[in-house]
Amino acid sequence: MKDRRKFLGVASGAAIAALVTGLTATTALAQEVTLKLHQFLPAQANVPTLVLDVWADKVEADSDGRIKIDRYPSMQLGGKPPELIDQVIDGVADIIWTVNGYTPNRFPGTEVFELPFMMTDARATSRAYWEMLEKHWMDTDYKNVHLLAGWVHGPGVFHTNKPVAMPEDLEGMKIRGGSRSINSLLTLLGATPVGMPVPAIPEALSKGVVDGATIPWEVTTAMKVSELVHNHTEFTGNALYSLTFVLAMNKQKYDSLPDDLKQVIDDNSGVELSVFAGGTQADADEPARQLAVDMGNNIITVDAEQTQVWREASQPIYDSWAKDMEARGIDGQALIDEARALIDKYTE
């Protein structure tokens, strides 16, 4: 009996040692990775809940749990929103979602999708944007990151403390502009553009730092904009403007992944993710708009004839942008023509 116990003890020890060795080898083969996803909006906002979390959850599931994505909303890893693109390059974060316009002049070509009245709808424009990202900018402007997706939000809208229906109504107002192009349009029309990240809008409105803001409807919910100002201006046909976003990954982190985990990332990236993200963001506009309707807010829909007045007033922005691009050695007019053709191609 004593010999039996001794044998079992030795056997058990050997088995445990073999099991540990086997597990170690298996773990080495089935590498597990934790990625830090950093972005600027609160966790409960639409983009984190409807796009980023959905994407991250799917990546985790498709990797059988070998990829874990820790989510850091509201700049919890430190810094300010304009620093996000450098944070992913430097490895402070493994993945970031950001607005190109937070770093003006850094990604000049993508501004073509932010020009006034360029966008038709978010899905078509996001598809066109991703196609041009791949063709023109992935290996140039974005060569220091691994791009996962690029998209635009739904139609940009004026949210103001007094009604805005025609261009002259903006004269003398201080408006938070969403992009370099919309800031140029505001200046052209006699308003004073004020630059600030989205999270700063509520305080700026409540304190009267600005008289209004340009953002899509879906952002107004988390920012409580419809409670702070009660006039909202929409346009018929093409949108006043839209912003371009990118979801980007640290290049070295991506390159360090085993091939099967790279495949999981690749399978959940690209044009499908871009169209899903842009469309999902735009789909969240209507519930947010309905909240403003329910509050009894004044929603101004500029008709087609009046919208044309705005479009004609914005033409100098196209001309100056094309000249600016030309000074940088970029054929701006060719980008305008290409973007318009692709948007038209994908608009149903």
Side-chain angles (χ1 to χ4, degrees):
M1 188 71 168
K2 189 179 294 184
D3 290 341
R4 177 178 166 78
R5 287 197 188 106
K6 184 177 179 183
F7 173 77
L8 286 173
V10 171
S12 298
I16 291 169
L19 179 62
V20 170
T21 302
L23 285 173
T24 303
T26 301
T27 302
L29 289 172
Q31 181 179 337
E32 295 184 357
V33 179
T34 299
L35 303 174
K36 295 177 290 187
L37 169 58
H38 199 203
Q39 56 88 18
F40 57 91
L41 286 180
Q44 70 273 17
N46 286 322
V47 172
T49 59
L50 301 178
V51 177
L52 300 180
D53 285 347
V54 171
W55 172 80
D57 289 347
K58 189 168 188 304
V59 168
E60 290 178 342
D62 288 358
S63 71
D64 294 325
R66 290 172 56 207
I67 295 177
K68 182 175 184 294
I69 300 179
D70 291 339
R71 300 99 194 258
Y72 296 89
S74 301
M75 302 304 298
Q76 287 180 354
L77 291 179
K80 298 178 180 179
E83 298 171 33
L84 281 164
I85 194 67
D86 285 317
Q87 287 184 349
V88 78
I89 291 171
D90 297 338
V92 173
D94 300 308
I95 302 168
I96 59 92
W97 171 65
T98 192
V99 180
N100 286 325
Y102 282 166
T103 49
N105 301 313
R106 190 158 179 176
F107 307 106
T110 64
E111 290 180 338
V112 69
F113 290 98
E114 301 179 344
L115 290 168
F117 303 102
M118 173 67 78
M119 190 190 88
T120 55
D121 70 79
R123 286 180 173 84
T125 306
S126 293
R127 186 179 292 276
Y129 171 38
W130 178 256
E131 188 166 320
M132 288 181 68
L133 272 172
E134 285 193 303
K135 179 179 178 181
H136 296 293
W137 306 305
M138 190 171 286
D139 297 324
T140 54
D141 290 4
Y142 294 95
K143 65 182 179 181
N144 294 321
V145 299
H146 180 79
L147 280 183
L148 302 174
W151 68 89
V152 302
H153 60 58
V157 177
F158 283 118
H159 308 272
T160 54
N161 59 10
K162 70 175 187 178
V164 171
M166 296 301 288
E168 54 267 25
D169 294 333
L170 287 171
E171 190 166 351
M173 297 182 72
K174 295 175 292 183
I175 304 290
R176 181 266 179 184
S179 68
R180 200 165 71 101
S181 294
I182 203 67
N183 285 345
S184 296
L185 179 62
L186 290 168
T187 300
L188 180 67
L189 299 180
T192 300
V194 181
M196 66 182 70
V198 165
I201 291 174
E203 183 177 6
L205 288 173
S206 64
K207 291 185 175 180
V209 174
V210 294
D211 300 306
T214 56
I215 51 175
W217 275 112
E218 59 94 6
V219 184
T220 62
T221 307
M223 300 293 110
K224 300 188 184 301
V225 169
S226 296
E227 299 174 23
L228 295 168
V229 292
H230 305 116
N231 298 281
H232 315 274
T233 306
E234 306 171 321
F235 294 84
T236 301
N238 290 24
L240 171 66
Y241 82 101
S242 191
L243 290 183
T244 57
F245 306 102
V246 290
L247 185 67
M249 185 172 179
N250 176 270
K251 201 173 186 70
Q252 291 71 34
K253 193 72 172 182
Y254 174 82
D255 290 341
S256 73
L257 296 177
D259 288 345
D260 60 336
L261 293 189
K262 282 182 185 173
Q263 192 63 52
V264 171
I265 297 292
D266 293 348
D267 289 346
N268 288 283
S269 304
V271 65
E272 290 83 7
L273 175 58
S274 300
V275 173
F276 162 76
T280 299
Q281 202 166 342
D283 288 346
D285 284 342
E286 185 53 38
R289 183 184 188 277
Q290 188 59 47
L291 287 176
V293 172
D294 294 343
M295 290 178 192
N297 288 6
N298 179 31
I299 299 179
I300 299 164
T301 301
V302 180
D303 65 24
E305 184 177 351
Q306 290 175 318
T307 296
Q308 185 59 32
V309 174
W310 284 85
R311 293 186 69 158
E312 290 171 2
S314 72
Q315 184 56 46
I317 306 303
Y318 279 78
D319 299 336
S320 62
W321 186 81
K323 288 180 181 177
D324 181 29
M325 293 301 106
E326 185 178 351
R328 300 166 188 254
I330 300 170
D331 190 338
Q333 187 57 53
L335 290 180
I336 291 170
D337 294 341
E338 183 177 0
R340 278 178 169 159
L342 285 173
I343 291 170
D344 289 345
K345 174 182 175 181
Y346 296 127
T347 299
E348 296 180 357

